[in-house]
Structure formats: C-alpha cells, structure tokens
Amino acid sequence: MSVSMPSFLNCISDDDFAHYEVDDYQKCVAKWCSGCGDFGALNATKRLLAKEQLQPENTVFVSGIGCSSRFPHYVNSYGFHGIHGRALPIATGVKLTRPELDVFVVMGDGDCCSIGTAHWIHAIRYNMDMTVLLLDNNIYGLTKKQTSPTTPIGFSTNTMPRGSYLPPLNPLTATLGVSNASFVAQTADWIPAHMYATLQAAYEHKGFSFVRILQRCPKFTPDVFTDAVKNPDNNELLVHENGIDAPGLEKLFKNRIIHDPKDLDGGRHYAEVENRVRLGLFYRNGELPCYEDTREVVSVTAAEKIQKINTEFDRYAV
Amino acid sequence: MTSSAPALAKGEAKSELNDSLDTGAKKVFCVPEHTVEIIANSGEGAQKCGQIFGSVSAKMGNGVWTVEIIPAEIEPPPRHVTSTSGNLIRFGTEQITNWGDRTKLAVAFNEQVLLSRHRLDSLDDECIILVEDMWENHDDENIRKEWATAMEEMSSANYRIVKVPIEEESLKIVDNPHHGKNMFALGMLAEVYQRDLDLIKKQIANIFRRKPAKVTELNIALVELGIQWARENLDFQFDVPAKVHEEARVVMNGNQATALGAIAAGMEFCAMYPITPATSVSHELCDIIESYGGMVHQAEDEIAAAGVAIGASYAGKVALTVTSGPGMALKTEFMALAVMTEMPLVLVDVQRGGPSTGLPTKVEQSDLLAALYGQHGDAPRVVMAPATIEDCFQSMITARRIAETFRTLVIVLTDANLATGVQQFPRPQLDERWQEAPLDLSAVPEGTLPYDWDHSTGLSRRIIPGQANGQYTVTGLAHDEFSKVSYEPESNELGCNMRSRKLAVFQSTLKPPTVVGDEEGDLLIVGWGSTRGAIEEAVGRARADKLKVSSCHLTFMSPLEPGLKEIFSRFKRVMTVEINYSDRLGDPYITAENRRLGQMCWLLRAHTLVDIDCWTRVPGQPLRPGDIHNAIVSHLENGAAS
Ligand SMILES: Cc1ncc(C[n+]2csc(CCOP(=O)(O)OP(=O)(O)O)c2C)c(N)n1
Ligand SMILES: [Mg+2]
C-alpha cells in the first residue's frame, strides 16, 4: 500500500484510499533463471493487478509444483503453493466457498496437462470464475528436463534421450473439446503487450479463463520457440473486433486471421497446429453457467440452524 | 447383559414348544432379548420390513441394534445365495450395543437366501424359520430340486422350519407380490412379537407419504393380513418387555449420526467422491446441508475432494471430506499438505474390508495404521474412533474443535458396522456456539506471522484470505514462521517440532480411559471403534463366569490417551480385540518373531513396551460377543501356566 494518509484524515480508514502501484504487488524478488519466461508472465500479471486495483487481501493465487508454480510466492496477495498437479481442486475450494475473492491459478505443463489432467478437464467444465495461466515451456523444468505432454516429438530429454516418441498434446484443442469451456487464449512470454492484453481479457471474462502462455525455458528448451520469436512472420495472430487487441502488434504480425471468438468450430480449427504458432483468443462465451453461481448458499443464523437440526431430530425421534 | 438367553433354551424349551404345538395352545415365551432377521432377494423390500420393525421396536422402548444384510451387486440374480438382502434386528429390554450372536427367528422369502445365512453360520442352531413355501412344489423342476438340496444341507441344524404361503396370501391383496410380501412378513413379525400396530401404521404412512393414500392403505392391509395369518397358524409368541425411557431419544444409523453431527458441529462444506460404505453420509448431507447455508461438492475423485476441502478450509470454512479406505489412500498426499500447512480439516474414513477393493460393503478396522502413518514424511495428525452411533454424532463436534484449535488434520475412523447399524440414543443437546464461524475477516495487526508458533505449544493463529495485512503464501515446502520456503536445518527441525508438539499438548487435555470391570486382574481386553458393545458384552459374560477380565476402549489413537502403561501394568496380560488381520501362532511358518499383529496391538506395543497379544478376525462382519468370549476363555486357559 503506497499512499500514507495525512493525519487529519485518520478517521478514514486507509483502505478507502488505498492505491496500488505495480510494485506494490511484488512480495519478494522472483528467483527464476535469468531469461526465464515466467518473469514476463509475472510482470504482466502485476500490471493487470495494478490496472484493476485488486486488493491484495482479497486476491488469491493458487499453484501446483514446478518452477512456474513458485509464482504465488512473488505476488503480494494471499497465495497457496499446493502440490503437483492439484492447484485446481484447491482453487475450486476457495472460489466455491468465497466467490467474492479474485482467484488466479498458475500451472506448468506437467502440472496441468500430465499429473493434473483430471482436474483440468473437470475445472474447465465447472467454469468457475478464475483466471488460469498455463506456463507451457514444453518441459519439466523444476525436475530438470524430463519430457512433458507438450514436448515436441523427437525432442531429446533426460527421460527420452532418443527423442520424445509421440506428437505433443495440444492444450488448446483439449480445452476447447470440453463441454462448458468458455475462454481459451494463447499468448507468448516474449510479446508483453499481447500477454498483458490477453490476461486483461481473461480477467474480464466471467468464467474459467484458460490462457496458455508459451514460455521460454533458457535451460532446457531454449530453442523450441526460437523460430516463433525470431520470425514473427511465421506466426499468426487471431484478430477480431471482439478479440484481443494489443496496440502496436500490427507491425509485428503480418499474418492475421480474422476469427470471431464466438465461433467455437473456428476456434477449434485454428487451435490445431500447422507448424506455426497462433496467438490470440480462440473462444469466448460469457453466457455459460459458472458452477459457483449454481451453488450459491443462503445465510442462516446459528439459532435457525439449531431449530432446523431439532426438526431433523424429530424425524428420528423414538 | 445376559444376551445369550436363548428364545428356546436348549433341550426342554424346544420340546416345550413342540408340546405347545401338539396341544394347539399358543405359547408365549418371555425373553430379555431376541434376534430376528428378514431376508429376501434384493428388491423384495426385506430391508424396509426390517427397518420398520426395528424402529417400531425402538419406539416401543426396546433397546435395538439393526444390521443391514446387503448383496454386493445392485441387482443380483433372484433366488441365489449371493442375492441375500435384508435386515437383522437384535432387540431387548435393555440397551443393545451390538448385533449379538446368532439369529433366533428368520423370515426368508426363498430357501436360497436362507441357505446363504446358514452357510455364514448366522442362524442359531434352534432358529425358528418362517420360509415361503411356494418353491417346494414349484412347477419348475429345477426349483424343486434346489429346494430339496438346500433343505438337505440345512438339515444338519435343529432349525424349526415353518412353511408359510407368503406369496399366495399377499396375492389376496396385491397383484404384484414383489411389492407386498415384505408387509405381510412385517405383519407376521408384529403378531409374533406383539408390536404396536398404531406405530406400524404411522411408520408406513410416513414412508409412503409422497405416494397416493391408496398405497398406504394396501400396505396396512397386508400387514393386517400377516397378523391374522400368524394368529391363526403360529402357535408361539415372544414377549420382549420394553422399558419406559424418561429422556427423549432418537434412532438412526451411524452415517446419519455422522452427517447430523457434521451439521451440528457447524461444518459448512463437505467435498466427497462416492464410495461404499461412506456414501450415505454425503447422501444425508446433500439432502439437508443447503438449508443450513452449506454445501456438498461431489468432486471428480478423492484426490480432488481432499484438495477442494483444503481450499475451503484455507478460505476460512469448516471443511469435511468423507471417504473409505481406497479413497483415503488417494487423499494421502493432500492429507500431508493439510498437516504441513496446518490447515484444519476433518476426514471421516468409514472403514471397509481391504486391501484394494476388498469387501466394499463389509466391516473391517484395517485402516488404523494407514490413518496414523500412511503418508510421506512425518505428518502428525489426530486420529479418533467413535465406538457407538451416538459417538458418531459427538465425534464430529469434537473433531471440529480439535482441528481448529490445533490447526490440524483430524481423522475420524468409523466403519461399515457403525455406518449401517441402527441404534437409539438420548437426543443430543445442541449448542449454538458449535455453529460459530472459525474467523471473521477483520484485519490482522501489521506484521502478524502466518506461523507465529508459541514455541512451548506449537499453536499459532490462523489467518484467512480477506484479512488485511495477512497476505501470505501457504506452501507445502518446508517453511519458516513467515511461511517462506526454507531449507535451513533449524527451520525444518522447528517446523517438525511445532507440528508434533501440538499432539502432546492435546494429549495433556485427555483423561486416561476407563477400565470396565475390576481395575486389576488376569486379562485386560483393549478395543477401539465399533467393537465396544461386543467386547463389553463378552467381558461381562466372562466376568459372570468369575473370570478376572476387564476391558478398556480407546477413543484416540493419535495421540493415545494417557496412562495406558500404568493401566496395563495392573493386569497379568493384555490383549487387543480387533477386526483386522493378524497371523495366528501355530499356523505354518508363523513364529512369535515373524507374526504380524493386529494394528492396535502394534501401536500399543510400540508405545508401552508391554508384551501385548491380539485376537483379531476378518470375517467381513462385526465380531460376535460369543466368539470374543471364547477367545477370552481360551486365552486365559493357554496362559494359565504363566
Ligand atoms: C506427486 C509428485 N510427483 C512428482 C513431483 C516432482 N515434480 C515436481 S515439479 C514436476 C514437473 C514440473 O514441470 P512443469 O509442471 O511443467 O513445471 P515447470 O517446472 O516446467 O514450470 C515434477 C515431476 C512432485 N513434486 N510431486
Ligand atoms: Mg514445464
């Protein structure tokens, strides 16, 4: 919190005047390798928090285990650094019981698409209002270069030294294939403007906003995105008046696809990879049911509860 | 309680019954208790009949214990030994604490389900059996053969078999006997045991309250027909006197008590994944919890259920997860996270037979060591076990209090016996304070630490999202008072120390367990969980035989109640009685050294260094007081030398 109140305003609580700068959202210095794409994601996120002026005490970041899952330690908010693959159940418990909190989830590709797959599929369908970042470096970073479900075929790792055997899993088409999927976007850590705009759109969306962030790992997959980084011409940007709009991208991306994010079939089509990276909003539908809304609870006083339990006992009375 | 008083005491009573048969006069046997069962193909309503009988008996003032007899499949083949479905009701003048020994009177809708009970040794040697007679001379030759073979097999016992035209009679009132025989049977039992017809009618009206009134009328007509038939055709009746109870009482099964206990304890959130025999706890909760402002979340699996519950607890709710053994196995990683992050969480494990899918519908006490130690790293938690249906209710209130006071995981071990056993108990007095929210959202003082451990107790203040100045990041990694990841040797020692210290502090609030019987003697039987009633009944019989036996029943397994070593020192021998596996001395290869012991036995030996023995069985059913009694006698005989 950065604004100190003049003493004559003591009667007004700090909170009413609290204003947060980007740096106010930093809890401590992030400890990732230099050149790690996670820094970009953290910076874009902090910018978003400042833009939205989210109150740190009413914001929760939940993660699993992995390099990327260290994320909550670096954000000044409540955080839950959980266990590998299980960020989403924890986040579900938080959002379901405290829907007023802003919930963000950060996962790695192993975390979300391998060990946590069951939760991922079901969380998409629950469509709870949370912003979900998949930091996809195509590798297990923390445990030092094992194949992940998104590792490119043929890519050599410590567990598949002669190259990964199978084509990678596509987190975008997988997500778009699940009933009740409501927001699917892809961005890249090396295009800060696009990443920020994507997170902004994800945050604004009511529902499970799934953002796959192509994330460079300088240690273990330094080259998987090199072509995409060096030759933006080989990338394609999904654009639309209802899509994600980031200033200054016209020059960078010559190849643009006009895609209405309402169009699910189109989104699925463009999410299929054809040897090029596509960034943008594949699908968005703000009309789909959110699980927490269907589970709203009434408020009942203790005295009322006691009365109800006693009525319950009457059913069992001897 | 002298529970074994037979309906027909061996020898003379039977001949007495036969006498009364000969003379045609109705004979009334006054007994302190009786065990009756009604068995049928699954789907023929035997359970409903048994439930009504049990609850009417409870309402009349009898002590009652009801056990469900359930087939493993939803729709097993009819007329088959695997299809048996029904209810066993043991009721008496005094409080009944367990299912007792063997059935004295059975109503069977076919000879195959009866045979299954015979093979299980569930029927008293002189059991009176009222069996459907239509199979004996059935058109289908195979059925006639099956009848004959079954009767032949059962002829080894001294059953008194009475053939009853159940279906033929029921067809006088309904077109489809499958929906009616059970009420006819209920009528017969009502006549044999002189149950209160008004209570039966009320019970039936309540069950069918959502159906057209005609349904209730038909069912009552069937009951009345059963009464009439029994009056005209049976020559005996049993009188099981009831007592008037001053205090208000309720009757329910353990899962219902657990669910109501959770609500009474102010638990607002239950995350679960269906698994027998735990599921019905959530059925009960699903039915009512929303009207209390809470919810049940059915997760995609048990792992998620644990995670969602932890998330809810982190968010400041009173959270519960309910499961059985295989589900608890899946939850272990999250359980350790709850311990590491000191997240209050109550986990109910309704134990069933294992390992693996094991005996899904049957009782066992085999999850004790898993509950205590089944995780990676040192993860101290509280483990407790209710012994009665009433305990199931009360333990939820206790569990919540412990979980929050000590910021810990509390595992409540019930089992399939408690889950489905029905018993009455004094109506609990409720306390509004149980409903209080754990925390409000007021700001915490700046600089408040998330793990501000009091170094002498390990206790610290819980902070939840929404509280200004509190924002910290929970982590399952080793951490310091700031919840900062820390690999420092002292920091890890301190964290382990603090999490463990809490158990010792909690233990200091507990009293030593009571010894039932003399304070010293030749043998102390130690039990835990649902075996209490059977153990105390067995010990009571042994004491009536002048054996110097006492018993002691433990509620807390972690931490153990204090004073055990001292109590054990007053007995020449100590033996646990448990429903889990142990090797038997005398079996091939089994020696005193390699013998694997009962789970509580291991635990107590480790904690007290007393040379404790065990008598354990895994029959997939509750222990019988008679069998425990035999074990006591033979243990004392074998040990007489020492
Ligand atoms: C149950 C369990 N299994 C395995 C691990 C070891 N582990 C930690 S992180 C990780 C994978 C990390 O990869 P990813 O999720 O892609 O995250 P990144 O480090 O690349 O950001 C693994 C296998 C663990 N911590 N827990
Ligand atoms: Mg990764």
Side-chain angles (χ1 to χ4, degrees):
Chain A
M1 218 171 294
S2 57
V3 181
S4 60
M5 291 295 122
S7 58
F8 65 86
L9 281 181
N10 267 353
C11 54
I12 300 172
S13 92
D14 257 8
D15 291 347
D16 300 334
F17 280 80
H19 175 81
Y20 304 97
E21 303 290 342
V22 172
D23 283 347
D24 292 330
Y25 290 102
Q26 173 150 329
K27 200 180 261 164
C28 64
V29 181
K31 285 194 275 184
W32 286 303
C33 304
S34 61
C36 175
D38 291 345
F39 284 109
L42 179 61
N43 288 337
T45 304
K46 288 192 297 194
R47 272 179 68 198
L48 172 73
L49 297 179
K51 158 86 188 338
E52 297 294 334
Q53 285 296 296
L54 296 189
Q55 288 174 305
E57 67 268 27
N58 289 324
T59 307
V60 180
F61 277 77
V62 185
S63 65
I65 294 289
C67 296
S68 41
S69 286
R70 284 295 181 107
F71 206 99
H73 285 282
Y74 308 139
V75 182
N76 177 23
S77 72
Y78 276 89
F80 202 134
H81 181 198
I83 51 178
H84 191 33
R86 322 284 173 204
L88 286 166
I90 297 172
T92 300
V94 174
K95 189 71 187 177
L96 200 48
T97 54
R98 295 282 303 282
E100 77 280 12
L101 297 171
D102 275 307
V103 176
F104 292 79
V105 181
V106 184
M107 296 175 287
D109 41 317
D111 216 31
C112 175
C113 309
S114 191
I115 191 170
T117 312
H119 310 313
W120 170 36
I121 301 295
H122 290 280
I124 297 165
R125 179 169 160 258
Y126 296 153
N127 191 33
M128 304 185 75
D129 189 13
M130 48 178 76
T131 307
V132 181
L133 315 187
L134 166 59
L135 285 161
D136 190 351
N137 54 6
N138 293 189
I139 198 77
Y140 286 9
L142 189 71
T143 45
K144 301 196 168 65
K145 204 178 185 183
Q146 294 84 20
T147 305
S148 106
T150 59
T151 302
I153 188 167
F155 186 91
S156 162
T157 68
N158 284 322
T159 45
M160 300 186 191
R162 288 165 294 285
S164 296
Y165 308 116
L166 296 170
L169 180 149
N170 181 336
L172 299 174
T173 51
T175 305
L176 286 165
V178 177
S179 331
N180 219 31
S182 75
F183 183 104
V184 181
Q186 175 155 277
T187 185
D189 79 60
W190 58 90
I191 314 166
H194 191 263
M195 182 152 55
Y196 174 72
T198 306
L199 293 185
Q200 177 77 49
Y203 175 75
E204 278 164 12
H205 171 72
K206 170 106 163 60
F208 188 85
S209 316
F210 183 79
V211 182
R212 182 194 192 199
I213 302 175
L214 303 178
Q215 177 234 323
R216 291 167 299 175
C217 172
K219 283 272 189 286
F220 303 125
T221 50
D223 298 325
V224 287
F225 300 122
T226 306
D227 180 57
V229 177
K230 292 227 173 103
N231 306 307
D233 283 358
N234 292 349
N235 301 344
E236 284 171 339
L237 196 64
L238 302 187
V239 293
H240 191 268
E241 53 181 352
N242 299 324
I244 290 169
D245 180 34
L249 290 183
E250 304 83 12
K251 287 190 210 105
L252 207 54
F253 293 98
K254 296 218 183 66
N255 294 318
R256 305 157 78 85
I257 300 170
I258 297 176
H259 164 63
D260 184 344
K262 278 203 201 101
D263 172 10
L264 179 59
D265 283 344
R268 285 178 177 153
H269 171 73
Y270 293 122
E272 291 286 353
V273 198
E274 287 153 17
N275 291 328
R276 58 181 63 206
V277 164
R278 293 199 181 109
L279 303 176
L281 182 54
F282 292 85
Y283 184 59
R284 176 172 56 203
N285 183 348
E287 307 292 303
L288 295 174
C290 296
Y291 181 53
E292 71 271 32
D293 294 342
T294 69
R295 304 297 319 257
E296 253 178 294
V297 294
V298 293
S299 134
V300 188
T301 66
E304 285 166 345
K305 287 184 193 172
I306 298 289
Q307 203 189 345
K308 277 170 191 280
I309 303 171
N310 271 321
T311 322
E312 219 66 64
F313 277 151
D314 291 343
R315 280 205 297 143
Y316 297 99
V318 167
Chain B
M1 188 185 310
T2 53
S3 57
S4 60
L8 311 168
K10 284 211 165 114
E12 86 269 58
K14 193 178 177 229
S15 54
E16 212 178 316
L17 184 73
N18 289 336
D19 287 350
S20 63
L21 246 183
D22 294 340
T23 61
K26 188 148 309 208
K27 181 94 191 156
V28 181
F29 297 91
C30 187
V31 290
E33 64 153 289
H34 222 230
T35 303
V36 51
E37 66 180 62
I38 160 148
I39 41 178
N41 295 333
S42 166
E44 288 185 313
Q47 299 216 348
K48 195 165 280 167
C49 167
Q51 282 156 5
I52 298 175
F53 184 86
S55 101
V56 164
S57 299
K59 289 193 160 129
M60 289 173 68
N62 283 120
V64 173
W65 184 279
T66 313
V67 179
E68 284 176 19
I69 301 163
I70 5 180
E73 282 83 36
I74 300 283
E75 231 177 290
R79 286 185 42 76
H80 193 265
V81 282
T82 62
S83 320
T84 314
S85 166
N87 245 298
L88 177 151
I89 307 106
R90 182 185 183 201
F91 64 112
T93 306
E94 305 291 334
Q95 170 90 332
I96 301 286
T97 63
N98 66 88
W99 74 329
D101 289 313
R102 281 166 186 79
T103 298
K104 308 275 195 207
L105 186 143
V107 180
F109 287 10
N110 66 63
E111 82 290 345
Q112 294 302 315
V113 295
L114 181 63
L115 184 60
S116 75
R117 303 294 293 163
H118 168 78
R119 287 182 181 166
L120 263 180
D121 197 19
S122 302
L123 307 174
D124 188 86
D125 193 46
E126 315 215 329
C127 186
I128 300 172
I129 290 165
L130 306 176
V131 60
E132 167 70 65
D133 71 355
M134 65 182 280
W135 315 109
E136 185 175 16
N137 302 310
H138 199 272
D139 293 343
D140 185 335
E141 188 192 334
N142 285 334
I143 291 181
R144 291 200 303 275
K145 266 196 204 138
E146 283 165 6
W147 168 280
T149 324
M151 286 302 163
E152 171 62 29
E153 186 177 335
M154 289 186 281
S155 66
S156 57
N158 291 321
Y159 302 146
R160 183 184 168 210
I161 294 181
V162 181
K163 294 170 201 161
V164 184
I166 303 179
E167 178 155 333
E168 190 186 318
E169 286 290 315
S170 304
L171 284 172
K172 291 179 182 165
I173 294 188
V174 283
D175 303 331
N176 180 355
H178 289 299
H179 301 139
K181 289 194 286 190
N182 61 340
M183 291 295 145
F184 178 82
L186 178 62
M188 290 196 295
L189 292 175
E191 174 63 13
V192 170
Y193 294 102
Q194 303 141 70
R195 300 293 89 181
D196 185 323
L197 186 57
D198 279 341
L199 285 177
I200 292 178
K201 285 182 181 168
K202 271 195 204 138
Q203 201 66 21
I204 290 174
N206 187 42
I207 288 175
F208 298 111
R209 65 189 181 279
R210 294 201 182 96
K211 300 247 165 80
K214 181 93 184 121
V215 178
T216 299
E217 283 163 29
L218 278 180
N219 277 284
I220 290 174
L222 282 157
V223 170
E224 283 169 339
L225 187 67
I227 292 175
Q228 193 194 334
W229 188 92
R231 195 167 288 161
E232 288 165 6
N233 295 284
L234 297 179
D235 56 359
F236 58 88
Q237 276 184 313
F238 290 97
D239 180 19
V240 186
K243 267 189 176 171
V244 183
H245 292 278
E246 292 302 320
E247 87 273 17
R249 291 164 80 78
V250 286
V251 57
M252 63 183 77
N253 70 33
N255 278 358
Q256 289 164 331
T258 303
L260 283 178
I263 301 258
M267 293 180 180
E268 306 157 280
F269 188 81
C270 172
M272 49 69 70
Y273 186 80
I275 182 168
T276 307
T279 317
S280 68
V281 175
S282 42
H283 291 179
E284 295 295 326
L285 283 174
C286 287
D287 233 16
I288 57 175
I289 198 170
E290 283 170 17
S291 67
Y292 294 84
M295 82 175 88
V296 174
H297 170 68
Q298 178 179 332
E300 58 269 21
D301 56 35
E302 282 90 349
I303 301 178
V308 174
I310 288 174
S313 173
Y314 168 70
K317 300 293 166 183
V318 190
L320 168 71
T321 182
V322 183
T323 190
S324 187
M328 186 167 73
L330 283 177
K331 290 174 202 278
T332 49
E333 194 189 6
F334 260 130
M335 288 155 66
L337 180 71
V339 171
M340 187 58 142
T341 57
E342 305 193 45
M343 207 61 76
L345 180 67
V346 177
L347 183 156
V348 175
D349 171 11
V350 185
Q351 297 169 96
R352 62 190 220 178
S356 191
T357 311
L359 299 166
T361 57
K362 313 285 188 192
V363 63
E364 227 167 78
Q365 298 180 305
S366 298
D367 294 348
L368 176 59
L369 293 179
L372 290 167
Y373 305 120
Q375 80 284 307
H376 46 293
D378 184 55
R381 74 282 302 278
V382 173
V383 179
M384 60 187 291
T388 63
I389 310 287
E390 181 179 10
D391 277 0
C392 289
F393 179 90
Q394 299 294 349
S395 62
M396 299 309 284
I397 287 121
T398 315
R400 174 186 169 181
R401 271 189 68 185
I402 301 167
E404 286 177 358
T405 311
F406 295 91
R407 289 183 76 177
T408 189
L409 166 67
V410 179
I411 300 177
V412 180
L413 292 175
T414 74
D415 63 32
N417 183 27
L418 290 171
T420 54
V422 177
Q423 191 187 25
Q424 70 274 63
F425 57 89
R427 182 176 172 132
Q429 294 301 308
L430 304 168
D431 190 329
E432 250 182 60
R433 285 169 303 180
W434 298 344
Q435 298 296 336
E436 274 167 21
L439 293 169
D440 63 31
L441 295 179
S442 51
V444 296
E446 215 143 338
T448 304
L449 303 184
Y451 297 103
D452 192 10
W453 294 301
D454 172 331
H455 281 211
S456 73
T457 62
L459 297 181
S460 58
R461 170 185 188 154
R462 174 181 175 197
I463 306 171
I464 60 173
Q467 293 190 283
N469 303 329
Q471 50 272 20
Y472 70 106
T473 296
V474 171
T475 178
L477 280 140
H479 50 265
D480 60 17
E481 289 96 326
F482 299 88
S483 197
K484 287 270 175 317
V485 175
S486 167
Y487 298 150
E488 296 303 318
E490 312 81 58
S491 170
N492 192 48
E493 295 273 5
L494 178 67
C496 286
N497 199 319
M498 293 295 93
R499 292 186 293 272
S500 182
R501 183 74 47 83
K502 294 187 289 185
L503 289 195
V505 173
F506 172 52
Q507 200 221 25
S508 73
T509 68
L510 297 175
K511 291 203 246 9
T514 28
V515 173
V516 179
D518 291 342
E519 291 291 325
E520 53 179 53
D522 291 339
L523 177 64
L524 178 72
I525 300 294
V526 183
W528 63 282
S530 74
T531 49
R532 179 177 196 151
I535 290 177
E536 288 179 4
E537 189 169 327
V539 168
R541 288 184 209 171
R543 294 177 59 76
D545 297 345
K546 299 279 185 291
L547 297 179
K548 293 195 171 112
V549 187
S550 302
S551 70
C552 155
H553 211 76
L554 303 181
T555 303
F556 288 95
M557 283 86 236
S558 169
L560 281 165
E561 284 135 90
L564 296 181
K565 192 164 181 154
E566 195 276 320
I567 294 173
F568 296 173
S569 73
R570 294 189 246 123
F571 292 84
K572 287 197 189 129
R573 297 161 144 246
V574 181
M575 180 169 86
T576 66
V577 167
E578 309 178 56
I579 317 177
N580 50 42
Y581 181 79
S582 63
D583 291 327
R584 297 188 203 174
L585 281 174
D587 277 359
Y589 291 96
I590 303 303
T591 67
E593 237 176 75
N594 69 15
R595 180 183 177 206
R596 296 175 63 247
L597 302 168
Q599 301 197 358
M600 176 58 87
C601 186
W602 282 127
L603 182 68
L604 294 178
R605 288 169 74 98
H607 273 266
T608 62
L609 293 180
V610 174
D611 187 7
I612 299 166
D613 195 3
C614 61
W615 183 84
T616 78
R617 290 293 180 270
V618 281
Q621 49 188 16
L623 299 181
R624 300 185 184 284
D627 296 341
I628 301 174
H629 180 234
N630 291 341
I632 291 171
V633 171
S634 73
H635 188 87
L636 284 172
E637 277 168 4
N638 295 340
S642 65

